[in-house]
Structures are given as structure tokens and as C-alpha cells.
Amino acid sequence: MSEDEEIRSAKRQKVLDSEAERVAEAAEESLRKHPHGDRDQPLVHHDAGEFSGLKRHETTSEQAEKLENGPINPFTGNQLGQKYFDILKVRRDLPVHAQRAEFLKIFHSSQIMVFVGETGSGKTTQIPQFVLYDEMPHLTGMQVACTQPRRVAAMSVAARVADEMDVSLGEEVGYSIRFENKTSNKTILKYMTDGMLLREAMEDHDLTRYSCIILDEAHERTLATDILMGLLKQVCLRRPDLKIIIMSATLDAEKFQKYFHNAPLLAVPGRTFPVEIYYTPEFQRDYLDAAIRTVLQIHATEDQGDILLFLTGEEEIEDACRKISLEGDELIRDQNCGPLKVYPLYGSLPPHQQQRIFEPAPINPSTKPYARPGRKVIVSTNIAETSLTIDGIVYVVDPGFSKQKVYNPRVRVESLLVSPISKASAQQRAGRAGRTRPGKCFRLYTEEAFHKELIQQSYPEILRSNLASTVLELKKLGIDDLVHFDFMDPPAPETMMRALEELNYLQCLSDEGELTALGRLASHFPLDPMLAVMLIGSPAFGCSEEILTIVAMLSVANVFVRPASARKRADEAKLSFAHPEGDHLTLINVYESFMTASDKGGVHQWCRDNFLSYRSLTSAKNVRSQLRRIMERYDLELVSKYGEIGEGVYWDNIKKALVGGFFMQVGKKKSGTGKTYLTVKDNQEVLIHPSTVVSKEGEWMIYNEFVLTSKNYIRTVTTIKPDWLVEYAPKYYNLDHFSKGDVKLSLERIIERVEASKKFDSKKK
């Protein structure tokens, strides 16, 4: 044990002794006030001697349980309520509880451990609490972190654990997700997305505030999780006192063990019942229609039990919810079925709406003996696959698809594509049906397709992502040798080279690959480097307030609502905000109108009338205020020249600032064609997406997104002058890097014109 560790251990020991005395005194006081205690839950009298000998990592499960059973909350000093003891009885029934002693034994004897728990074992809620009762981090000013791949899971699990510990959410237990931090200086257990822990590591390379870090759902292999695992391997060498727990479903446990130097493994079985699997006899052409029909058929014919339907994204889910609700009402009338409640579940859903999925199923008011039960239907993305456990699910409908990020480094295109799931995902989904009693899983694909067409495991995100943000993060973390960084699955060299090239063009990395001052500043923004650079450069064009608005609007879900029943009216409403030269500029009009409506009141109705998403606009407002605070912290000027200069110059300045970030995402109209554009450098033929409001398509356009469907589209576009590209990104528009063709010929003429104009101006002067 190092000298620092000994001092820390002695300090903690002293605090633990006084804490034990305080708990004992509080228990004595409570017994004096309530001599008979609670009828159902006898108060336990703690002897100070029981805890006086505890050193760090030596708490037994019996000692921890005595603290849990006590009348006083050891983390707040308050009397524990009856609700706490009611929940405690349920917690003690979870499979993970039976192995608490075994868990503590491994936890005490090793720095890194791998914990495998099947769905429903209680690992996400209980293991962090086991650690808290062992570490008592509030006595040493430390924290325990538990990472989640998804925002929804971080928020809902934190709320559940705060309930279980009888503390307020945001106080002793909190969560931290992008653009939302619900923690305080009292927080000892912090649920957070893996990306947020990574951002903290940029500022504090050794993560000194944490005594234990738990990486949950590690099998999902998100980009941030993979980087964190490589990073924590290094941090452990510098901090022998830091404990790491890698938690995963049953997949790939041995791979994690091997990666972490043969770390010990503890496996806890889930509480699962048998699940019957049903396949379709033939391929389903329209999986959405087949899924809705299956849900309604289950409701009409099957016994009591709730239904979980997996779909790919927000629009699809909302559409399915509406159709199931409408057709469910007809079933109730025509076939005497019970009532049906349908709840959506996806990442951008507000927390209060996410919590509705835990509400009990509706009860059939009919007293007739043959009346069918009421039930709830949850229509979810793959969030419900492993991140959340919803009791009462007996029927799972699995169409076999999910949205996956796919990156092609050759043409620099990153897209969210609907792709077939893996066999591992299919098994996880089926397992959701066997949580409370024997269940059924309806797979809307053939058995042959399952065995022959589905891959065994989904590819880790690091192998199918643009790594520009990742490289910037690694550089900020002080990792310069990217080639030898210990990735569990190293990305393709071409992807890494593209990322370095992109950051070099954005001037975030020097030609030697060193982090520049601009790169350091950009890394403080939780944004794609292109957006961060655009925001940092905007004060020079006198429009940082407007660029703030655009970046915030691009960082949230689509603000425009286009329901199938009122598409024409929705399109007309969108045109009322349209700026003829660009979708980016239109977003400013939408946001400003929303803020004006908010000041007047009745904003919900205003959003409905204008076919705008109140939720997305409120999110954009929050994101904007957080980005504004970051700009203020780093003394970036917040300025708007609106009303001070001519309208044409005002909009041109905003477009120039946009070019400062989007100069690599440019399309040039193909000669001799009316609608086709060529992407700069890569020469991909694309069309402008039909959702655009640009009334006059210019010869040159910047775009926010490349969409791959049956055709290639560029979406969220704005017309620009090509002279700006040469002026503000001369390094990228060096013609030596361009292949022969239409784009290069046009650029040659533009560069000649710009140089001639400069010569003329200098002569004039």
C-alpha cells in the first residue's frame, strides 16, 4: 500500500469510527422515541463496535445488511420511511442479492472485476448500492459512478435507486446526461451516460473524484464505452485505489475478462421463465403493418399480460402508437376486448413520459365472466432490449430491425440505417417476455432467416462511426499515440486517417497531429467538431447568437411535425417560417417565433397550430442556454447585428459563419442537369431532400446531413457563394487535392476570379 493510500485509509477509518458512533447514537435516540418501533419492521440497534473495525473494502454482507435494516439512513442521517422497508423486501428477492457476499469478496480482492447478470437480475440498481454500503464514499468526499449507454436508462435508473435509498433525486443519487445535470455537492452515486464520464476524464485524466467506476451494459459496445475501457486500463495503473466493475449481459464475458488481464468473473442468473418462440412462415414485406396486426391479434386472443413491440425510431413508433390505439378501440367495441393503453419509448422522450411505461395495465371495468383483460402495449426502440426492465411484459413482438449508425470513410458519409438485428439482440428481446411468468415472442421473420441471415453479434460502434470527435477526445485526454491505443476492437486505419484529416482541415490539429488552441477550445463543447468550430468562429461574423440558435436546433430531434393525416397543412405551416435561401436560416425564424409565442403564453397550442414539436423546441432552448454558458465561460463574444446592418448583409454573415464549419459538406449543381448535385471532393451524385424549404436552389449548397434511402439525398441545405469556400477554407480547397471533373473546373474559375478581385482591390487602395 502506498503512503498516500495509507493516509487516505487512516483518514477514512477515523471517519468510519465516528460515523458508526453517530449511527449507534441515532438508533438509541430512535428507540427511546419509538420503544416498540414499527409493527412490520423492527428497528435494529447498531453497536458502534460492529463498525469500528471496518477498513476500506472489508465490509461483510451481514454488516451492510444491518446498516440497511437500521432506522437511520446512513447517507442522510434521516429516519427511514415505511416505503423504504417495503421496497427493501422486494430488493432482497432479486437474484443478485443471493450473491452479495460473493460479490464483496471479489470486489475486495481485485481492482477490476467483470460482473455478468442476465436481464432482471437487478444488477443495474443493486450493485452500485452494494458498493455504496461498502465504500461509504460520503465519508471520504468521493463518488461512485455508474455509466449507461443511453440517456433514458441513466435518468430512469437514477430515479428508481433514489426511491430505493429513500433520498431525493439530484441529492445523494443523481444523473448527468448531455445538456442535463441533476446532481449536487451531496451526490455520492452518479448515473451518467458513458459520453459524460469521458468528458469529465478530459478535465481530470485520473478521475480523482471517483472511488469506484461501474461500466454498465458494456456489451452494447458504444463508441464512448470502448474508449472508456481503454482509458480505465491506463488510469488503473496510475490509481491502484480505483475500483472498476464491468457489467454486461451474458454475451462476450470472456472477451471482457481477457481484455482486463483475466479479471475475475461473477455471473448471476436472471429470474427468467421459459419463452415460446414463434416465427412467420414467410417473409413480411411490410414489417410495420405486420407488427401492428400481431399486437392487435395478441390483444384479441391471448391471456392477460402486457406487450412489448420493438421498432426502429421516433416517427415509426409514434405512427404505430396512433394506429394501435385507434384499432384497439374498435376491437374493444367489436370483440369485447379489454381496454388497451399504448405508450411510446425512445431516447428523446421527456422523463415524465418515459415513466408512464411503468404504470399498471388498465383494468377491464366489465364484470362479465368472459370479459377479456386490459393490457398495456409499449412500443420501443432497442432501449428496452437491455437498458430497462419493465415488469408485466409477457408478449414480445420482434420485427427484427433496429437503426444503426453506419459510416463509409471513402465518401465520408455517416448515416442511420434500418438494419437487421443480430442473433444476440434477438435473444435479448425474446428474454424480455419471460420476466414475470412464461411468455411468448413473435418474430416477424422466418426461422431460416434467423439462422442463416442474422449475424451472431452486432459490430461495435467504433467500427462503424466517424471518429473525428473520438480523436479530438483522445488528444484532449493526453493520448497522442492513437495507433497503439489499447482498443478492444481497433478501428480501420482508413477511418482513423479520415478523422485526423478532418480535424486538420478544421484547424483543431496541427500538421504534426498536435492539438491546437482551437482544438482544445472545441473539445469543451459537447458537439461534433464541425459545429463546435462553427460556433467558436461565429463572433468574427457578428452573428454568434444566431449560430447558437442553429447549432441548438440541429442538436435536437426534428422540430417539424408532419402527421400522415395533415401533411399538406403541415407543409404550408412550415413554409410560413421559410427563408428562401436556406433551411438553416429557417431554423432561426422558427426558434425566434417560438420564443415570442412563449412570452405571450399559450405556447402548446401555438406549436400544435404550426405543426411544431413543443418537446424538441423546449430541448433546443435548454441546449442553447447550456452552450451559451460554455461560450461565456471561455469569453467568446455573444453578438447579433440584427437591425444594425442591411438585411442582405445580415443573412450573408450568418451563411459565411455556416461555411466556417460546413465547408467539407458542400454540393455543387451538376452541369447540364436540373436537380442533381455533386458532393465536393467525393463526386457523389445527390438530390436535395424534398423536406427543404429553399425556393431557389443555388449552384452551390452546404448541407447538414447525407441521407441514404432508395436515392442519395442531402438534407437541411443553404445556398452559399463559392467565393466564401476559397476564402474561409483555403487549405481544404487547394486544387492539388481534387480529381479532374466538373467541381475542379468550377473552382479553378472561382479562384482566378477571387485573386483578380483581390488584385483590383489592392490597386484601388
Side-chain angles (χ1 to χ4, degrees):
M1 191 185 276
S2 68
E3 194 177 336
D4 280 356
E5 248 193 303
E6 281 180 18
I7 293 167
R8 205 156 38 232
S9 183
K11 193 175 173 185
R12 182 182 184 278
Q13 182 58 48
K14 191 175 177 184
V15 185
L16 259 175
D17 289 344
S18 62
E19 173 65 6
E21 284 173 27
R22 186 188 68 72
V23 170
E25 283 168 15
E28 291 280 10
E29 179 65 23
S30 182
L31 283 167
R32 277 197 295 277
K33 288 181 182 173
H34 311 281
H36 304 295
D38 189 285
R39 276 199 292 269
D40 297 324
Q41 182 63 47
L43 294 172
V44 177
H45 177 195
H46 294 294
D47 178 6
E50 284 180 324
F51 298 100
S52 60
L54 296 186
K55 289 182 184 171
R56 187 186 178 196
H57 305 316
E58 285 185 12
T59 314
T60 65
S61 58
E62 290 81 12
Q63 288 168 326
E65 281 174 35
K66 278 189 175 180
L67 263 183
E68 281 178 344
N69 289 340
I72 302 298
N73 190 325
F75 304 108
T76 63
N78 299 331
Q79 183 95 10
L80 289 164
Q82 183 55 43
K83 185 183 173 187
Y84 165 85
F85 293 110
D86 293 341
I87 296 174
L88 185 61
K89 286 174 189 171
V90 178
R91 285 172 53 203
R92 294 269 167 90
D93 283 339
L94 289 167
V96 74
H97 202 274
Q99 284 170 278
R100 186 173 189 166
E102 199 179 342
F103 164 78
L104 286 171
K105 188 180 174 185
I106 297 172
F107 183 65
H108 294 160
S109 60
S110 57
Q111 187 177 10
I112 303 175
M113 71 177 286
V114 179
F115 186 93
V116 171
E118 287 178 19
T119 299
S121 62
K123 65 180 187 299
T124 305
T125 56
Q126 302 311 299
I127 293 296
Q129 292 185 69
F130 290 175
V131 173
L132 284 184
Y133 275 94
D134 181 65
E135 297 250 325
M136 290 290 173
H138 58 300
L139 307 181
T140 49
M142 302 293 270
Q143 288 183 334
V144 172
C146 182
T147 69
Q148 298 291 323
R150 293 190 176 83
R151 300 155 54 97
V152 176
M155 291 188 286
S156 61
V157 174
R160 171 66 193 174
V161 172
D163 261 4
E164 290 186 2
M165 289 176 59
D166 200 13
V167 298
S168 299
L169 180 63
E171 296 289 314
E172 284 73 20
V173 177
Y175 64 81
S176 174
I177 59 176
R178 193 166 84 124
F179 301 125
E180 191 176 346
N181 181 15
K182 202 170 177 63
T183 61
S184 69
N185 55 4
K186 291 181 185 175
T187 302
I188 51 171
L189 173 56
K190 181 152 73 168
Y191 283 92
M192 61 210 304
T193 50
D194 35 23
M196 289 308 295
L197 185 60
L198 203 53
R199 295 204 75 77
E200 285 190 18
M202 285 185 196
E203 306 302 322
D204 175 10
H205 292 354
D206 289 346
L207 294 163
T208 49
R209 72 171 75 173
Y210 299 108
S211 60
C212 177
I213 292 171
I214 302 166
L215 296 188
D216 195 10
E217 310 292 3
H219 63 273
E220 292 210 8
R221 301 290 305 280
T222 64
L223 194 54
T225 299
D226 270 26
I227 299 165
L228 272 175
M229 287 194 290
L231 190 68
L232 289 173
K233 271 180 88 168
Q234 296 183 0
V235 174
C236 282
L237 299 174
R238 302 193 294 268
R239 276 194 61 195
D241 62 316
L242 177 68
K243 294 276 187 179
I244 308 291
I245 303 171
I246 308 297
M247 296 207 298
S248 162
T250 48
L251 324 162
D252 271 1
E254 285 178 20
K255 189 170 184 177
F256 288 118
Q257 270 187 286
K258 195 174 174 185
Y259 180 70
F260 285 105
H261 315 298
N262 295 318
L265 171 75
L266 177 62
V268 175
R271 212 169 37 185
T272 52
F273 293 87
V275 176
E276 287 180 67
I277 308 284
Y278 297 91
Y279 293 93
T280 56
E282 56 190 28
F283 168 73
Q284 300 295 307
R285 194 166 294 281
D286 184 345
Y287 71 84
L288 182 59
D289 182 56
I292 292 166
R293 278 189 286 108
T294 307
V295 166
L296 294 167
Q297 196 176 343
I298 292 169
H299 183 52
T301 59
E302 294 286 351
D303 293 336
Q304 192 167 1
D306 298 332
I307 305 168
L308 174 59
L309 164 60
F310 286 99
L311 290 178
T312 63
E314 180 181 338
E315 272 182 50
E316 201 174 69
I317 286 170
E318 292 289 3
D319 188 33
C321 284
R322 191 172 58 253
K323 286 177 179 171
I324 292 168
S325 293
L326 286 171
E327 295 191 38
D329 290 344
E330 286 179 30
L331 273 180
I332 295 165
R333 283 195 303 272
D334 300 344
Q335 298 188 29
N336 196 33
C337 287
L340 194 65
K341 283 274 186 198
V342 189
Y343 300 111
L345 178 62
Y346 45 85
S348 56
L349 203 61
H352 68 276
Q353 286 192 29
Q354 289 163 13
Q355 291 305 312
R356 292 177 64 200
I357 63 169
F358 300 110
E359 289 175 9
I363 295 165
N364 193 341
S366 173
T367 53
K368 294 172 184 174
Y370 53 83
R372 301 204 66 78
R375 70 179 95 228
K376 66 180 176 188
V377 178
I378 291 149
V379 188
S380 172
T381 59
N382 50 0
I383 286 174
E385 216 172 89
T386 54
S387 303
L388 289 171
T389 298
I390 308 154
D391 286 331
I393 299 296
V394 177
Y395 306 101
V396 164
V397 180
D398 172 19
F401 292 99
S402 68
K403 262 191 186 161
Q404 291 195 353
K405 193 188 288 178
V406 180
Y407 179 62
N408 182 342
R410 296 251 153 91
V411 292
R412 283 188 282 264
V413 172
E414 189 174 65
S415 300
L416 272 175
L417 296 180
V418 174
S419 317
I421 58 173
S422 63
K423 284 190 178 111
S425 285
Q427 283 156 359
Q428 286 285 341
R429 289 180 174 191
R432 289 306 194 184
R435 283 278 291 109
T436 48
R437 63 183 178 85
K440 294 179 181 179
C441 175
F442 298 86
R443 289 179 174 161
L444 306 182
Y445 42 93
T446 63
E447 191 166 3
E448 186 184 17
F450 174 79
H451 291 295
K452 291 185 179 176
E453 292 176 27
L454 298 191
I455 57 171
Q456 197 63 40
Q457 274 281 11
S458 299
Y459 295 111
E461 196 179 346
I462 198 162
L463 302 182
R464 46 188 175 83
S465 294
N466 179 352
L467 297 180
S469 292
T470 305
V471 169
L472 193 62
E473 284 167 352
L474 289 169
K475 288 283 184 185
K476 186 72 171 44
L477 288 163
I479 295 156
D480 290 318
D481 187 0
L482 300 174
V483 176
H484 295 104
F485 182 73
D486 193 2
F487 289 110
M488 190 182 265
D489 288 290
E494 188 178 5
T495 311
M496 191 64 86
M497 288 309 296
R498 282 290 194 201
L500 290 164
E501 184 185 58
E502 186 179 314
L503 290 169
N504 179 240
Y505 284 134
L506 286 167
Q507 297 179 11
C508 292
L509 293 181
S510 66
D511 290 347
E512 291 73 40
E514 300 294 321
L515 198 62
T516 62
L518 176 61
R520 239 186 307 280
L521 189 53
S523 72
H524 293 294
F525 289 85
L527 296 167
D528 181 277
M530 272 196 306
L531 293 176
V533 166
M534 185 170 83
L535 201 48
I536 293 163
S538 60
F541 298 99
C543 59
S544 51
E545 292 281 8
E546 288 80 4
I547 296 297
L548 252 181
T549 299
I550 291 170
V551 170
M553 294 285 270
L554 292 175
S555 300
V556 299
N558 189 4
V559 295
F560 297 105
V561 178
R562 195 170 181 255
S565 56
R567 282 186 178 153
K568 191 166 182 246
R569 285 196 295 134
D571 291 344
E572 286 167 2
K574 186 176 181 179
L575 285 172
S576 67
F577 301 105
H579 189 289
E581 291 182 31
D583 296 318
H584 296 92
L585 311 181
T586 299
L587 292 174
I588 297 175
N589 291 341
V590 172
Y591 185 80
E592 293 299 335
S593 303
F594 170 71
M595 294 306 290
T596 306
S598 298
D599 293 340
K600 291 177 182 173
V603 68
H604 284 275
Q605 188 57 47
W606 180 85
C607 285
R608 278 194 289 274
D609 293 344
N610 288 281
F611 292 90
L612 295 170
S613 167
Y614 173 76
R615 183 173 64 249
S616 294
L617 284 163
T618 309
S619 260
K621 184 181 173 184
N622 294 336
V623 169
R624 191 184 187 283
S625 64
Q626 296 209 32
L627 292 173
R628 199 174 199 275
R629 283 200 292 275
I630 297 172
M631 289 186 78
E632 286 168 348
R633 192 184 311 150
Y634 295 104
D635 295 326
L636 291 166
E637 190 184 5
L638 290 155
V639 60
S640 171
K641 294 283 175 74
Y642 180 71
E644 295 176 29
I645 52 180
E647 195 174 340
V649 177
Y650 168 76
W651 291 113
D652 273 1
N653 282 351
I654 295 170
K655 290 199 280 185
K656 286 176 186 176
L658 287 169
V659 166
F662 286 120
F663 60 82
M664 286 181 276
Q665 296 189 176
V666 176
K668 190 245 174 230
K669 192 170 274 189
K670 190 177 178 182
S671 300
T673 62
K675 296 285 183 184
T676 308
Y677 281 74
L678 289 171
T679 59
V680 166
K681 272 201 182 174
D682 305 312
N683 291 316
Q684 289 280 303
E685 287 197 5
V686 293
L687 296 167
I688 305 291
H689 197 273
S691 64
T692 187
V693 294
V694 176
S695 55
K696 188 186 170 193
E697 292 173 358
E699 191 184 352
W700 295 80
M701 313 276 272
I702 53 167
Y703 61 89
N704 184 56
E705 203 179 348
F706 192 110
V707 183
L708 291 169
T709 54
S710 53
K711 295 174 183 170
N712 292 346
Y713 288 106
I714 50 176
R715 185 160 60 192
T716 314
V717 298
T718 292
T719 59
I720 55 158
K721 291 179 183 170
D723 307 31
W724 300 337
L725 299 170
V726 176
E727 189 177 346
Y728 301 124
K731 190 173 183 178
Y732 187 77
Y733 286 90
N734 178 340
L735 294 184
D736 296 343
H737 303 152
F738 283 76
S739 54
K740 284 183 181 178
D742 193 7
V743 173
K744 187 171 183 177
L745 280 170
S746 297
L747 283 168
E748 281 172 349
R749 288 197 296 271
I750 290 157
I751 289 169
E752 283 171 15
R753 191 174 72 228
V754 168
E755 285 176 354
S757 175
K758 280 180 181 173
K759 281 178 186 173
F760 178 73
D761 285 345
S762 62
K763 276 183 183 177
K764 215 173 168 184
K765 283 176 184 175

